[in-house]
Amino acid sequence: MLQTVLIAILAGGVTGLVAHLIRHDKSLIFPRKIKRPKSIQLGFFADILISALAAVFATHYLFNPSDIRELLGIAVMAGMAAENVLLYRELSTERTKTDELNKLNDRLGQ
């Protein structure tokens, strides 16, 4: 059981790292502190962590892989799904910002 968890973490983490590199034009965004509001941006570690957690969840609670190939396939697919959720959230945030800027421009133009 520990072996399958470690394999799922590794496969999901690598998937998260690759997705991060694809999304950020082959560059790593490193963790940094943000002053306002006081917080820490995790950078590429967030992508690795979320994909790895999704892979472990999928391989242990949603599916029951019978061999290593199924385990790797499920872990990679779960990691990709987690990255798609993050990408959707980023796009939604950008869409909201664009809509608000358009509303502001309309008010200033009138």
PDB file of all heavy atoms in Angstrom, residues 65-75:
ATOM      1  N   PRO A  65      -6.791   0.239  -8.846  1.00  0.00           N
ATOM      2  CA  PRO A  65      -5.907  -0.273  -9.896  1.00  0.00           C
ATOM      3  C   PRO A  65      -5.365  -1.656  -9.553  1.00  0.00           C
ATOM      4  O   PRO A  65      -5.004  -1.928  -8.410  1.00  0.00           O
ATOM      5  CB  PRO A  65      -4.793   0.761  -9.969  1.00  0.00           C
ATOM      6  CG  PRO A  65      -4.836   1.480  -8.673  1.00  0.00           C
ATOM      7  CD  PRO A  65      -6.230   1.382  -8.160  1.00  0.00           C
ATOM      8  N   SER A  66      -5.325  -2.516 -10.573  1.00  0.00           N
ATOM      9  CA  SER A  66      -4.870  -3.881 -10.335  1.00  0.00           C
ATOM     10  C   SER A  66      -3.381  -4.075 -10.629  1.00  0.00           C
ATOM     11  O   SER A  66      -2.776  -5.016 -10.132  1.00  0.00           O
ATOM     12  CB  SER A  66      -5.693  -4.858 -11.179  1.00  0.00           C
ATOM     13  OG  SER A  66      -5.542  -4.546 -12.550  1.00  0.00           O
ATOM     14  N   ASP A  67      -2.793  -3.218 -11.444  1.00  0.00           N
ATOM     15  CA  ASP A  67      -1.362  -3.332 -11.732  1.00  0.00           C
ATOM     16  C   ASP A  67      -0.737  -1.941 -11.852  1.00  0.00           C
ATOM     17  O   ASP A  67      -1.420  -0.923 -11.750  1.00  0.00           O
ATOM     18  CB  ASP A  67      -1.108  -4.179 -12.985  1.00  0.00           C
ATOM     19  CG  ASP A  67      -1.702  -3.569 -14.238  1.00  0.00           C
ATOM     20  OD1 ASP A  67      -2.477  -2.612 -14.130  1.00  0.00           O
ATOM     21  OD2 ASP A  67      -1.382  -4.061 -15.338  1.00  0.00           O
ATOM     22  N   ILE A  68       0.560  -1.911 -12.083  1.00  0.00           N
ATOM     23  CA  ILE A  68       1.304  -0.656 -12.094  1.00  0.00           C
ATOM     24  C   ILE A  68       0.895   0.242 -13.262  1.00  0.00           C
ATOM     25  O   ILE A  68       0.857   1.463 -13.141  1.00  0.00           O
ATOM     26  CB  ILE A  68       2.830  -0.925 -12.081  1.00  0.00           C
ATOM     27  CG1 ILE A  68       3.630   0.358 -11.856  1.00  0.00           C
ATOM     28  CG2 ILE A  68       3.281  -1.553 -13.367  1.00  0.00           C
ATOM     29  CD1 ILE A  68       3.593   0.824 -10.451  1.00  0.00           C
ATOM     30  N   ARG A  69       0.555  -0.356 -14.396  1.00  0.00           N
ATOM     31  CA  ARG A  69       0.143   0.443 -15.555  1.00  0.00           C
ATOM     32  C   ARG A  69      -1.153   1.189 -15.265  1.00  0.00           C
ATOM     33  O   ARG A  69      -1.283   2.368 -15.609  1.00  0.00           O
ATOM     34  CB  ARG A  69      -0.014  -0.441 -16.782  1.00  0.00           C
ATOM     35  CG  ARG A  69       1.326  -0.950 -17.315  1.00  0.00           C
ATOM     36  CD  ARG A  69       1.162  -1.836 -18.518  1.00  0.00           C
ATOM     37  NE  ARG A  69       0.416  -1.135 -19.561  1.00  0.00           N
ATOM     38  CZ  ARG A  69      -0.232  -1.742 -20.533  1.00  0.00           C
ATOM     39  NH1 ARG A  69      -0.234  -3.067 -20.586  1.00  0.00           N
ATOM     40  NH2 ARG A  69      -0.859  -1.062 -21.439  1.00  0.00           N
ATOM     41  N   GLU A  70      -2.102   0.512 -14.671  1.00  0.00           N
ATOM     42  CA  GLU A  70      -3.358   1.175 -14.320  1.00  0.00           C
ATOM     43  C   GLU A  70      -3.126   2.259 -13.275  1.00  0.00           C
ATOM     44  O   GLU A  70      -3.722   3.338 -13.340  1.00  0.00           O
ATOM     45  CB  GLU A  70      -4.378   0.170 -13.797  1.00  0.00           C
ATOM     46  CG  GLU A  70      -5.023  -0.668 -14.861  1.00  0.00           C
ATOM     47  CD  GLU A  70      -6.090  -1.587 -14.284  1.00  0.00           C
ATOM     48  OE1 GLU A  70      -6.521  -1.369 -13.121  1.00  0.00           O
ATOM     49  OE2 GLU A  70      -6.481  -2.522 -14.990  1.00  0.00           O
ATOM     50  N   LEU A  71      -2.266   1.972 -12.313  1.00  0.00           N
ATOM     51  CA  LEU A  71      -1.954   2.943 -11.270  1.00  0.00           C
ATOM     52  C   LEU A  71      -1.349   4.212 -11.869  1.00  0.00           C
ATOM     53  O   LEU A  71      -1.781   5.333 -11.553  1.00  0.00           O
ATOM     54  CB  LEU A  71      -0.992   2.333 -10.251  1.00  0.00           C
ATOM     55  CG  LEU A  71      -0.502   3.254  -9.145  1.00  0.00           C
ATOM     56  CD1 LEU A  71      -1.643   3.611  -8.205  1.00  0.00           C
ATOM     57  CD2 LEU A  71       0.632   2.608  -8.392  1.00  0.00           C
ATOM     58  N   LEU A  72      -0.381   4.049 -12.755  1.00  0.00           N
ATOM     59  CA  LEU A  72       0.239   5.211 -13.393  1.00  0.00           C
ATOM     60  C   LEU A  72      -0.761   5.971 -14.261  1.00  0.00           C
ATOM     61  O   LEU A  72      -0.788   7.206 -14.253  1.00  0.00           O
ATOM     62  CB  LEU A  72       1.448   4.776 -14.228  1.00  0.00           C
ATOM     63  CG  LEU A  72       2.681   4.353 -13.450  1.00  0.00           C
ATOM     64  CD1 LEU A  72       3.741   3.808 -14.395  1.00  0.00           C
ATOM     65  CD2 LEU A  72       3.224   5.508 -12.637  1.00  0.00           C
ATOM     66  N   GLY A  73      -1.570   5.255 -15.006  1.00  0.00           N
ATOM     67  CA  GLY A  73      -2.563   5.902 -15.860  1.00  0.00           C
ATOM     68  C   GLY A  73      -3.571   6.715 -15.070  1.00  0.00           C
ATOM     69  O   GLY A  73      -3.873   7.861 -15.413  1.00  0.00           O
ATOM     70  N   ILE A  74      -4.073   6.134 -14.001  1.00  0.00           N
ATOM     71  CA  ILE A  74      -5.042   6.836 -13.158  1.00  0.00           C
ATOM     72  C   ILE A  74      -4.389   8.042 -12.484  1.00  0.00           C
ATOM     73  O   ILE A  74      -4.975   9.126 -12.413  1.00  0.00           O
ATOM     74  CB  ILE A  74      -5.647   5.880 -12.120  1.00  0.00           C
ATOM     75  CG1 ILE A  74      -6.522   4.836 -12.816  1.00  0.00           C
ATOM     76  CG2 ILE A  74      -6.453   6.634 -11.079  1.00  0.00           C
ATOM     77  CD1 ILE A  74      -6.946   3.685 -11.930  1.00  0.00           C
ATOM     78  N   ALA A  75      -3.174   7.873 -12.000  1.00  0.00           N
ATOM     79  CA  ALA A  75      -2.479   8.968 -11.318  1.00  0.00           C
ATOM     80  C   ALA A  75      -2.217  10.132 -12.270  1.00  0.00           C
ATOM     81  O   ALA A  75      -2.432  11.299 -11.915  1.00  0.00           O
ATOM     82  CB  ALA A  75      -1.170   8.470 -10.712  1.00  0.00           C
TER      83      ALA A  75
END
